[in-house]
Amino acid sequence: MFALADCNNFFASCERVFRPELNGKPVIVLSNNDGCAVARSNEAKALGIKMGDPLFKIRHIVEKHGVAVFSSNFALYGDMSRRVQEVLRMFAPSVEQYSIDEAFLDLRGMEHCDFDALAKQISRECQRLTAIPVSVGIAPTKTLAKIASKLCKRYPKLRGGCYIHRPQDIEKVLSTFPVADVWGIGRRSQAKLAQMGVETALDYTRLSETTVRKLFALPGYRTWKELRGEACIEFEDMVEPKQSICVSRSFASEIRTLPELTEQVTNFAVSAVDKLRKQGSMALEISVFAMTNRFKENEPQSYAGRCVPFASPTADYRTIVSASVSACAAVFRQGYGYKKAGVVITRLIQESGHTPSLFEDFDGARKEACLSGAIDSINRTFGPGAVLFGIQGDGSVRMARNHQSPHYTTLWSDLPTAKVE
Ligand SMILES: [Mg+2]
């Protein structure tokens, strides 16, 4: 058996954890630079706000119904996600984090359990320990577990947990479940299925094996088998380290001077190095890119990038920051308004597998490692940005975040206070 735990309206739910007065009220969270709604509470969905609606288009609904609007606060969401994962790990030895708000649990070997009770218990514990509502579906395959978790959202009576396993129950569920909503059914397949008159997940399972293999290739065939109760999608609880790390942002307004662009780029570089170090990797190359606003057609346009290779693999803040400073200077041109920039660290190797060459400066490398380690531990103890390079300015990224909530769980200065009377 597999379980899928999916946080309900995750970003909106995170915002509510520290603003309980918003429970039962419409809440939306916006994309970067306060563009579009990317998360909605059930109440906001009921007002007709759609996923991806731009803020300016729904402004009238927001004002009329007093919708609480938040800029995205990924420090908060990332930390809440980690807390939910921790609760999930209390229930199963292996947990596969599928996205920021979803995880699979491997329940094979736990067949003695009352899975229906377990699903409800996991949901209850997540709510109790993190205040995030979580829908837990348990089924014989990952694809069916996803469907079971969606049922929890549809039917509040299930109290956050749903276990489906009897063939007749599965058939009944699939007969009302739109095939387009099945995990693994891509856009292109959806069009093909609509033409064939396949509407529900049950219709799909009733196609012949040869048809499915011919028309939908291996992924479609796997989904078909999974819907029929045969588990064939691997459980992946080992996270492979990333092969490249990119940190990029669009700015709230165009940047026109080199010092300002450098400040932003070094901020990206520092956060990329932080990610690099967290996964225990070293890099052989860094590149910096910057681009103008292509929607401002009457302004000069530029998209430029510069790559800097390192003589030996490095995970050192100073080395990578100074490379990004020189790459940024090479990319920048006077007279252009830069709307977006980014840093990409590539050609990664695992630090544990690295053999230094004879010509490396061992003493220098040891000092660098000490300094970078000290930066990590200060920033982990006192919050990101506690120690900065001078060139980073105040360490903030120029994004429009007019509605951002405090970093309740990751910055000491933003810690919520409670009054006890
Ligand atoms: Mg979700």
Side-chain angles (χ1 to χ4, degrees), residues 63-363:
E63 275 160 19
K64 185 168 167 206
H65 299 277
V67 177
V69 177
F70 290 95
S71 306
S72 35
N73 181 347
F74 283 102
L76 175 65
Y77 313 149
D79 191 55
M80 293 308 293
S81 168
R82 183 189 58 77
R83 292 174 185 213
V84 172
Q85 306 277 337
E86 257 173 42
V87 177
L88 298 177
R89 277 176 217 286
M90 306 190 320
F91 290 95
S94 20
V95 173
E96 171 192 340
Q97 179 164 13
Y98 179 67
S99 68
I100 192 165
D101 72 333
E102 281 179 59
F104 287 105
L105 282 69
D106 188 353
L107 305 178
R108 284 173 291 186
M110 292 170 62
E111 275 69 25
H112 58 282
C113 282
D114 174 347
F115 284 124
D116 191 58
L118 179 67
K120 291 176 168 58
Q121 191 193 356
I122 295 173
S123 173
R124 201 168 53 237
E125 284 300 283
C126 286
Q127 173 81 48
R128 188 174 74 83
L129 295 168
T130 67
I132 299 286
V134 178
S135 297
V136 181
I138 299 183
T141 71
K142 286 168 101 178
T143 306
L144 289 170
K146 272 232 174 202
I147 291 177
S149 87
K150 290 198 180 171
L151 293 182
C152 304
K153 292 182 187 160
R154 209 187 291 168
Y155 305 108
K157 261 203 335 215
L158 291 170
R159 285 183 288 123
C162 174
Y163 170 45
I164 47 170
H165 67 111
R166 291 191 311 176
Q168 62 269 38
D169 296 338
I170 293 177
E171 194 174 304
K172 204 172 139 201
V173 167
L174 297 188
S175 71
T176 62
F177 200 86
V179 69
D181 293 348
V182 172
W183 184 45
I185 299 286
R187 279 264 168 83
R188 257 190 286 161
S189 308
Q190 282 174 27
K192 241 188 270 178
L193 289 164
Q195 271 176 5
M196 296 165 68
V198 174
E199 285 174 11
T200 68
L202 186 66
D203 296 341
Y204 188 64
T205 63
R206 288 188 172 160
L207 295 175
S208 77
E209 186 169 346
T210 35
T211 310
V212 171
R213 293 194 78 153
K214 206 166 80 192
L215 292 177
F216 303 103
L218 191 60
Y221 179 52
R222 274 202 310 230
T223 303
W224 180 82
K225 286 215 269 191
E226 287 245 325
L227 287 173
R228 293 164 62 104
E230 188 186 332
C232 55
I233 296 178
E234 292 286 330
F235 192 86
E236 293 161 16
D237 54 348
M238 290 295 288
V239 185
E240 288 285 315
K242 290 202 181 83
Q243 290 305 300
S244 73
I245 293 170
C246 172
V247 176
S248 71
R249 298 282 182 275
S250 297
F251 308 122
S253 58
E254 284 85 9
I255 289 181
R256 297 183 180 279
T257 70
L258 180 57
E260 284 174 290
L261 189 65
T262 307
E263 187 178 303
Q264 295 299 308
V265 164
T266 45
N267 277 319
F268 303 154
V270 166
S271 101
V273 178
D274 178 51
K275 290 181 186 186
L276 179 78
R277 298 178 61 81
K278 276 188 184 141
Q279 68 165 28
S281 301
M282 300 171 98
L284 275 160
E285 200 169 85
I286 182 181
S287 44
V288 168
F289 68 88
M291 59 179 92
T292 49
N293 189 347
R294 64 194 165 89
F295 296 107
K296 290 199 172 164
E297 285 167 0
N298 46 0
E299 289 206 7
Q301 298 288 322
S302 163
Y303 180 114
R306 177 59 68 98
C307 167
V308 181
F310 300 117
S312 53
T314 182
D316 175 50
Y317 281 102
R318 277 195 310 176
T319 310
I320 295 176
V321 164
S322 83
S324 67
V325 171
S326 55
C328 184
V331 160
F332 177 82
R333 290 229 180 85
Q334 199 67 46
Y336 291 88
Y338 292 98
K339 180 66 181 165
K340 185 177 182 177
V343 166
V344 191
I345 311 186
T346 47
R347 294 177 56 205
L348 307 188
I349 59 159
Q350 276 309 95
E351 195 181 353
S352 50
H354 169 57
T355 314
S357 86
L358 271 177
F359 304 104
E360 260 174 53
D361 168 12
F362 291 102
D363 199 37

Side-chain angles (χ1 to χ4, degrees), residues 6-10 101-102 153:
D6 181 11
C7 303
N8 303 349
N9 315 325
F10 182 56
D101 72 333
E102 281 179 59
K153 292 182 187 160

